[in-house]
Amino acid sequence: MAWMMRLACCTAMLLVLRLLLGLPWYQVLPAILIFYLGSGGWNFLDIFVKTLGRDLHAAYVLLRVKLNVKRHVREKNTIPKIFAETVQRHGDKTALIFEGTGERWTFRQLDEYSNRVANLLLERGFREGDVVALFMENRSQYVGLWLGMAKVGIEAALINFNLRLEALVHCITISNAKAVVFGSELTDAVTEVHRSMGKAVQMFCCGDWDPKRVPQGTERLEPLLDGAPSHLPRRPQRCFTDRLFYIYTSGTTGMPKAAIVVHSRYYRMAALVYYGFRMTSEDVVYDCLPLYHSAGNIVGVGQCIIHGMTVVIRKKFSASRFWDDCVKYNCTIVQYIGEICRYLLNQPIRDAERQHRVRMALGNGLRQSIWEEFMNRFNIPQIAEFYGATECNCSLGNFGNKVGACGFNSQIIPFIYPIRLVRVDEETMELIRGPDGVCIPCKPGEPGQLVGRIIQNDPLRRFDGYVNESATSKKIAHSVFKKGDSAYLSGDVLIMDKYGHMYFKDRTGDTFRWKGENVSTTEVEGTLSRLLDMKDVVVYGVEVPGAEGKAGMAAIADPSHSSDLEKFVREMEKVLPPYARPVFLRFLPEVNKTGTFKFQKTELRREGFDPSAVTDKLYFLDSSRGRYVQLEEELYRSILSGKHKL
């Protein structure tokens, strides 16, 4: 608040000296500057000089997107209507390339395919507001299917193609889908759950057709689409704040939740990235991320739908083929998420990794520990790291290419974008409030949960939540910025430096306390992975009877049993403080990940370090001997009884 007081005083001085006393500018400005610097304004001056350009660009981006959104709301536009404008501008330009077959679709072909989808569904009796589940691996048809549904107001439920059995039925059921369009490659998964979905759910198969394998009553999609009209069907009365489709949360902590994506949210996410990172319609995006996720389908494909870029779709991420694809298709932007960058660094050096035209890597989840190594090895000038869940209203973007940052908030004009880091109890993750009942904002260098003020009638500030209203209410807190307001809880702990750069620290609930210190699992995972030649490492806290807090445990994917534990301990002691070193190790063939390359920790935490419940090899850090020893039943009982000190 001190800098605001100084600014107010300077403004008052300006009014008095210039307007009341009539002094000339060459006297007024030096006087104000002397006052400002004399009152301790050097720090603010330093921030102002170093961040002014960044903040002006961000203000321009926000203003441009906000004005565009207002226009689309006023004109009752939708994503299909915006796509129609894109088709007019880029009709015969390549819109989508599917790497799996090399097939190329122009914008006009994508438009016609989606028209056939829309007309077919209308012929089959589907109506505006109905839901159709989409369950298939990446391909160009995926985009045409949800886009065609949107043209007639049918909402797609984008199902994670890795789901099976109970989780798959759950996702289809909570969306109230009247039909499922599935890829032939997932026939077995659909057959397993078909009886659980009820007879009323219609089934359509896309891809290679084998009538003996598909569930009874399933229809082949391709001939139906061939026979459907390719003209634009009559558009329903939809508007920019109506539902477009549903994207499911990753399910790292339980069953996936269906997040509601409205047309304005789709536009906002794609447009902020486009303008913020200075993309152009001539860029070619390499999209190897799953299309059931917002990073692949909105941040990636959205550049095609809205801005006329060519997008190369890969069926699944391949570390060994990544750079070859980029060279082959002349890609200028690549997408990443989660651990993808580490997998690429773990590949042997090849010529293609320096022969590409990639100028930007776009995504989130690049660990600071490998950030510069990734840029230097692959010769990528810009890391366009951003932060933002599908449903959140507090997205961030690292527009200034700051190493390690996932975004920023202006320290000069913070009110222009109402987000904040607020203090939380890092053990219980409860919001800490002041005497007035309002949340306490964090100071630079202090970790806090990221929150965004909710203004429901503002398309940029609204929170649409989930299909499940109970899940929606859990993400909203009140009296956060001021008494009586509402704010979205991100569930993530970040740290901000004095220039406003934000750095991801941990997911709330993943940080644990040990020996009186808070341990960030994200930071420890990155460090241990580097020590173990980029192996997958999952860090979490486990309860030990009689011990305060939670002891650190690391699950390490090591199918070849190549880890040298003595060397590991020596190197670990150099880089991690005692409280952050894992007390227990678990070696397993692989660690479970979500389809978006996030580690799943719930089951690992539940199983703990009990050798009778875990078949994998377990190790215990014997601090008196300075090394890891194998954890067997006798040592386990000794630890539980408190005889063996941790």
Side-chain angles (χ1 to χ4, degrees):
M1 295 299 290
W3 71 267
M4 292 184 71
M5 287 296 296
R6 280 195 292 271
L7 203 59
C9 290
C10 288
T11 305
M13 281 185 69
L14 176 64
L15 293 172
V16 171
L17 296 177
R18 179 67 181 155
L19 298 181
L20 296 182
L21 299 180
L23 294 179
W25 282 111
Y26 68 85
Q27 291 179 340
V28 172
L29 292 178
I32 291 174
L33 181 62
I34 290 169
F35 168 81
Y36 186 77
L37 297 179
S39 62
W42 278 114
N43 187 49
F44 177 70
L45 191 63
D46 173 51
I47 294 170
F48 183 87
V49 169
K50 290 182 178 176
T51 64
L52 180 62
R54 177 199 71 181
D55 292 0
L56 286 176
H57 171 65
Y60 161 76
V61 170
L62 275 174
L63 181 62
R64 182 163 187 175
V65 173
K66 189 159 191 168
L67 290 175
N68 286 350
V69 168
K70 278 192 171 183
R71 176 174 67 85
H72 291 311
V73 170
R74 186 175 63 252
E75 295 176 359
K76 294 187 176 180
N77 282 337
T78 59
I79 293 302
K81 287 182 181 178
I82 294 172
F83 175 66
E85 295 173 3
T86 307
V87 175
Q88 285 186 336
R89 292 194 308 271
H90 303 284
D92 295 322
K93 178 183 174 183
T94 300
L96 300 173
I97 302 173
F98 180 49
E99 175 279 332
T101 60
E103 184 180 22
R104 294 169 180 258
W105 284 11
T106 65
F107 282 90
R108 210 176 310 282
Q109 287 172 317
L110 175 57
D111 188 39
E112 290 177 358
Y113 181 89
S114 58
N115 285 344
R116 292 180 187 277
V117 172
N119 286 311
L120 172 64
L121 293 174
L122 288 179
E123 288 173 3
R124 288 306 182 97
F126 292 91
R127 292 292 176 262
E128 178 185 350
D130 287 344
V131 178
V132 174
L134 202 49
F135 183 56
M136 61 174 64
E137 293 179 350
N138 287 6
R139 64 192 73 172
S140 299
Q141 287 83 353
Y142 195 107
V143 180
L145 285 163
W146 72 253
L147 182 59
M149 294 176 198
K151 286 185 175 183
V152 288
I154 295 169
E155 300 154 11
L158 310 183
I159 311 290
N160 180 339
F161 56 67
N162 296 294
L163 296 181
R164 298 294 183 270
L165 300 173
E166 185 185 357
L168 176 55
V169 173
H170 165 80
C171 288
I172 295 172
T173 303
I174 63 171
S175 71
N176 291 315
K178 291 189 174 182
V180 177
V181 179
F182 65 93
S184 58
E185 68 281 3
L186 297 171
T187 297
D188 291 344
V190 173
T191 303
E192 287 176 331
V193 300
H194 182 237
R195 290 183 180 177
S196 305
M197 290 192 294
K199 293 181 180 179
V201 178
Q202 298 182 51
M203 308 294 290
F204 299 94
C205 179
C206 178
D208 296 333
W209 176 251
D210 184 349
K212 296 178 182 177
R213 292 181 59 231
V214 297
Q216 188 175 1
T218 300
E219 297 181 82
R220 188 182 182 189
L221 185 63
E222 282 78 6
L224 297 177
L225 290 177
D226 290 340
S230 62
H231 63 75
L232 180 68
R234 186 178 62 83
R235 288 169 172 164
Q237 293 298 311
R238 304 286 275 185
C239 67
F240 212 44
T241 52
D242 282 333
R243 296 184 182 190
L244 174 61
F245 53 52
Y246 304 93
I247 285 182
Y248 291 79
T249 60
S250 298
T252 51
T253 56
M255 282 293 188
K257 301 188 290 288
I260 299 165
V261 178
V262 298
H263 293 261
S264 61
R265 175 168 295 278
Y266 188 100
Y267 176 84
R268 178 182 70 100
M269 290 179 71
L272 286 173
V273 165
Y274 179 83
Y275 294 116
F277 292 116
R278 296 180 169 92
M279 299 176 179
T280 75
S281 61
E282 298 307 309
D283 278 312
V284 178
V285 179
Y286 182 66
D287 189 350
C288 59
L289 307 181
L291 296 182
Y292 59 73
H293 190 258
S294 57
N297 205 348
I298 303 179
V299 177
V301 169
Q303 307 312 329
C304 164
I305 301 294
I306 296 170
H307 299 116
M309 281 192 208
T310 299
V311 174
V312 179
I313 295 174
R314 200 178 207 287
K315 186 177 179 181
K316 287 183 180 178
F317 165 71
S318 167
S320 61
R321 295 294 306 166
F322 191 92
W323 297 113
D324 292 324
D325 288 345
C326 291
V327 172
K328 181 177 180 181
Y329 298 109
N330 290 315
C331 299
T332 58
I333 298 173
V334 296
Q335 286 191 268
Y336 66 86
I337 198 169
E339 301 297 313
I340 279 179
C341 296
R342 184 167 56 82
Y343 297 150
L344 292 173
L345 282 172
N346 214 16
Q347 287 289 303
I349 294 173
R350 47 172 55 87
D351 292 339
E353 68 186 47
R354 306 286 293 188
Q355 295 170 346
H356 58 76
R357 296 175 55 229
V358 174
R359 66 179 184 85
M360 181 194 303
L362 169 70
N364 57 353
L366 176 55
R367 295 180 188 271
Q368 190 167 353
S369 57
I370 61 170
W371 188 294
E372 290 180 289
E373 183 184 354
F374 183 81
M375 289 181 73
N376 294 334
R377 173 173 164 182
F378 300 121
N379 192 30
I380 298 178
Q382 182 181 3
I383 301 294
E385 174 86 5
F386 63 88
Y387 169 90
T390 303
E391 67 277 22
C392 87
N393 71 345
C394 49
S395 302
L396 303 170
N398 182 357
F399 298 159
N401 209 16
K402 174 71 174 176
V403 172
C406 61
F408 70 94
N409 196 29
S410 174
Q411 297 301 283
I412 304 171
I413 43 174
F415 54 84
I416 200 171
Y417 192 51
I419 64 168
R420 183 176 287 177
L421 297 185
V422 295
R423 290 185 187 175
V424 289
D425 182 319
E426 287 198 58
E427 203 164 347
T428 64
M429 284 305 137
E430 290 184 12
L431 299 170
I432 298 174
R433 299 179 182 271
D436 58 355
V438 176
C439 292
I440 302 172
C442 294
K443 296 174 182 176
E446 185 179 9
Q449 183 173 180
L450 179 65
V451 297
R453 180 181 290 164
I454 297 172
I455 305 171
Q456 209 59 23
N457 61 359
D458 181 348
L460 295 184
R461 307 296 329 140
R462 63 184 285 154
F463 172 53
D464 298 295
Y466 310 97
V467 171
N468 183 306
E469 290 185 13
S470 171
T472 299
S473 62
K474 289 177 183 176
K475 298 293 284 186
I476 299 175
H478 301 285
S479 298
V480 176
F481 290 79
K482 63 180 182 179
K483 202 75 175 174
D485 69 1
S486 299
Y488 167 80
L489 300 173
S490 70
D492 290 321
V493 177
L494 282 72
I495 294 178
M496 182 177 70
D497 66 19
K498 73 172 187 175
Y499 298 107
H501 295 115
M502 301 267 198
Y503 303 85
F504 183 84
K505 187 171 186 287
D506 227 341
R507 181 76 187 158
T508 57
D510 283 355
T511 296
F512 60 88
R513 196 164 179 82
W514 183 243
K515 296 187 176 178
E517 300 283 353
N518 292 320
V519 181
S520 166
T521 61
T522 303
E523 293 172 13
V524 177
E525 284 168 355
T527 300
L528 298 185
S529 180
R530 283 186 66 82
L531 298 181
L532 292 163
D533 300 320
M534 297 298 181
K535 290 182 173 66
D536 282 345
V537 179
V538 186
V539 175
Y540 47 100
V542 292
E543 294 184 3
V544 180
E548 185 181 346
K550 292 182 179 180
M553 186 164 183
I556 300 164
D558 186 14
S560 59
H561 309 290
S562 59
S563 299
D564 182 340
L565 283 181
E566 290 187 11
K567 179 186 175 186
F568 173 64
V569 171
R570 288 196 306 270
E571 296 297 320
M572 181 177 67
E573 287 174 346
K574 296 175 186 176
V575 293
L576 285 179
Y579 65 84
R581 297 168 194 163
V583 177
F584 303 100
L585 299 180
R586 175 177 176 176
F587 286 90
L588 63 175
E590 63 176 349
V591 296
N592 290 330
K593 294 184 285 291
T594 68
T596 50
F597 303 95
K598 296 175 186 173
F599 295 128
Q600 292 181 306
K601 302 184 180 184
T602 307
E603 192 70 13
L604 293 170
R605 280 198 203 97
R606 188 184 62 77
E607 292 173 347
F609 58 98
D610 182 355
S612 65
V614 177
T615 56
D616 303 312
K617 279 192 175 182
L618 300 172
Y619 291 86
F620 167 70
L621 181 58
D622 190 330
S623 53
S624 63
R625 297 158 69 181
R627 64 188 182 92
Y628 282 101
V629 296
Q630 192 159 349
L631 180 60
E632 295 175 337
E633 196 64 40
E634 185 178 346
L635 177 56
Y636 173 73
R637 286 196 298 269
S638 179
I639 292 169
L640 292 189
S641 66
K643 292 179 183 177
H644 209 109
K645 299 298 180 184
L646 301 183

